[in-house]
Amino acid sequence: MSHARHDTKCTLHKSSLDYVRPDLRSGALIRMSLTQGYRCYTYLLLSMCYTPYRQPCSDSADNSRFHDIIMLANLRCSIGDTRLFRGLYRFIYTRNSDINQFVMDNTEIVSDNTLTPEIRLSLFTPKCRFWHARPDTWPFSDPYWAIYWPGGQALSRYLLDNPGVSRGKKVLDLGSGCGASAIAAKMCSASHVVANDIDSVAAVAIQLNCELNNLEPIPCVTDNLIGSEPEHWDLILLGDMFYDEDLADSLHTWLKTCIRVHNTKVYIGDPGRAQFENHRIKSFVKLLAQYTLPESVREENYGLTSSTVWLYTPDV
Ligand SMILES: C[S@@+](CC[C@H](N)C(=O)[O-])C[C@H]1O[C@@H](n2cnc3c(N)ncnc32)[C@H](O)[C@@H]1O
């Protein structure tokens, strides 16, 4: 999947730059080009040219980035193709340092009001710009990494309360999101922790969250590992990964292989979602712990009041 994205970027890059004269590749001409008619398109092409020279981290850069998002959202409305919009946006903000800055600009550092106040995370809160914005103005794929899901909260709490579970172990946090469970395992002295999330923005957010907790960066793999030849993991962690039936089916099959081949232990955190409760996987789990969710988490996750940690023990 990452290859396909890369090809799209290259094609856009080449064809777009072919239409821009080299002497136009300067930020100074941008404002002059913002006239009616071709405004968005011209802006977009020129953004592509001058972005590499822009200085990150200052207030003006921040405003400029926000301005870019709005302009691109307008463009997206006029061309009506979300995929193209997101592809173009990603093309402009390809560098991890840009995405890092974007994550910092659009999240708030949170530690209170979760089950694991000892872990600090950059998350969406009502104070953040995109909390109230139209979903289609968000330039990346759905920001699951910007939420600390109730299943992940219970799993991370369980790891912190039972440090022997991950101490000295090789741990994979699959569907890591904000990285909290990987961080909890690392805090409990796991020998090797890898985070896995198919969203490349999550990988950037996880590094940022490691820094917030004074941890060395946790390697993050963005390939889809489900169905692949299983590596030797002592533990696989799954925080709130049972929100889709097809995903639950493929996890059930793949996890059984991991357990059969490497005797991996699989820990699941789930707040009682129907896709988990009604799945046949539920017949193969053993209750380890249950936590009442903090009030603010209950409010944000209507209908959920507690979250449970399970050990997956299928017949293999
Ligand atoms: C509901 S969130 C849970 C995040 C985190 N574990 C937590 O509890 O806070 C699910 C996450 O799984 C990721 N995801 C979905 N399908 C995946 C796959 N096949 N492999 C790895 N990650 C996946 C999503 O990008 C998202 O970040």
Side-chain angles (χ1 to χ4, degrees):
M1 187 197 279
S2 55
H3 287 255
R5 273 190 198 154
H6 187 68
D7 290 342
T8 314
K9 276 182 208 161
C10 294
T11 312
L12 285 168
H13 180 65
K14 189 168 183 317
S15 59
S16 304
L17 290 185
D18 282 350
Y19 290 100
V20 181
R21 283 182 5 226
D23 57 329
L24 285 184
R25 294 175 189 180
S26 140
L29 286 173
I30 297 274
R31 307 291 163 208
M32 288 165 61
S33 304
L34 293 180
T35 52
Q36 294 298 321
Y38 296 104
R39 179 179 153 144
C40 289
Y41 189 60
T42 310
Y43 182 86
L44 178 74
L45 291 178
L46 288 169
S47 291
M48 286 177 172
C49 302
Y50 92 111
T51 295
Y53 307 108
R54 196 185 290 157
Q55 292 298 311
C57 301
S58 69
D59 279 353
S60 58
D62 176 25
N63 287 337
S64 164
R65 275 153 212 277
F66 188 53
H67 188 62
D68 289 349
I69 294 163
I70 300 305
M71 290 298 293
L72 285 167
N74 291 339
L75 178 71
R76 174 251 176 279
C77 293
S78 60
I79 59 181
D81 183 336
T82 305
R83 277 172 312 167
L84 178 58
F85 159 63
R86 288 191 167 147
L88 291 170
Y89 189 89
R90 283 199 198 104
F91 172 80
I92 293 172
Y93 291 100
T94 47
R95 291 178 309 175
N96 273 6
S97 57
D98 281 337
I99 297 176
N100 203 54
Q101 187 63 38
F102 185 85
V103 170
M104 287 195 285
D105 292 343
N106 291 290
T107 53
E108 192 189 359
I109 298 171
V110 172
S111 60
D112 294 341
N113 302 320
T114 73
L115 283 176
T116 58
E118 52 276 75
I119 300 180
R120 301 176 78 215
L121 298 167
S122 285
L123 300 175
F124 269 6
T125 71
K127 288 190 194 150
C128 302
R129 269 176 203 149
F130 283 98
W131 183 270
H132 304 286
R134 276 198 350 248
D136 61 354
T137 57
W138 176 256
F140 301 106
S141 34
D142 291 344
Y144 287 2
W145 54 265
I147 293 163
Y148 188 11
W149 297 83
Q153 293 200 24
L155 185 56
S156 307
R157 180 72 267 149
Y158 179 77
L159 294 175
L160 293 171
D161 288 348
N162 299 275
V165 169
S166 50
R167 186 181 300 131
K169 302 285 174 27
K170 270 188 77 181
V171 180
L172 175 69
D173 181 21
L174 195 143
S176 194
C178 62
S181 299
I183 287 172
K186 185 108 174 167
M187 284 176 161
C188 296
S189 309
S191 62
H192 183 53
V193 182
V194 170
N196 168 229
D197 201 296
I198 47 172
D199 182 349
S200 53
V201 183
V204 175
I206 291 167
Q207 299 320 328
L208 198 60
N209 289 331
C210 287
E211 270 176 46
L212 285 178
N213 293 282
N214 301 316
L215 295 173
E216 293 287 309
I218 291 175
C220 188
V221 175
T222 54
D223 295 330
N224 186 354
L225 299 181
I226 303 171
S228 68
E229 187 71 35
E231 269 186 58
H232 188 161
W233 301 106
D234 297 317
L235 305 187
I236 294 181
L237 308 175
L238 299 158
D240 235 312
M241 283 302 284
F242 293 87
Y243 58 92
D244 174 275
E245 213 172 312
D246 291 342
L247 185 58
D249 286 346
S250 47
L251 277 170
H252 186 38
T253 309
W254 184 69
L255 291 168
K256 275 198 293 193
T257 312
C258 297
I259 294 171
R260 194 181 59 247
V261 178
H262 295 298
N263 202 20
T264 299
K265 288 214 169 344
V266 176
Y267 290 82
I268 295 171
D270 182 89
R273 297 196 190 281
Q275 296 88 334
F276 180 72
E277 291 294 321
N278 301 331
H279 196 276
R280 61 189 184 285
I281 204 164
K282 188 70 199 301
S283 338
F284 303 104
V285 291
K286 192 176 128 204
L287 177 81
L288 294 176
Q290 189 163 53
Y291 302 94
T292 301
L293 293 169
E295 177 144 3
S296 60
V297 181
R298 290 205 297 266
E299 277 166 16
E300 281 164 24
N301 294 272
Y302 182 73
L304 303 179
T305 54
S306 65
S307 189
T308 307
V309 180
W310 306 93
L311 180 67
Y312 177 50
T313 53
D315 299 328
V316 290

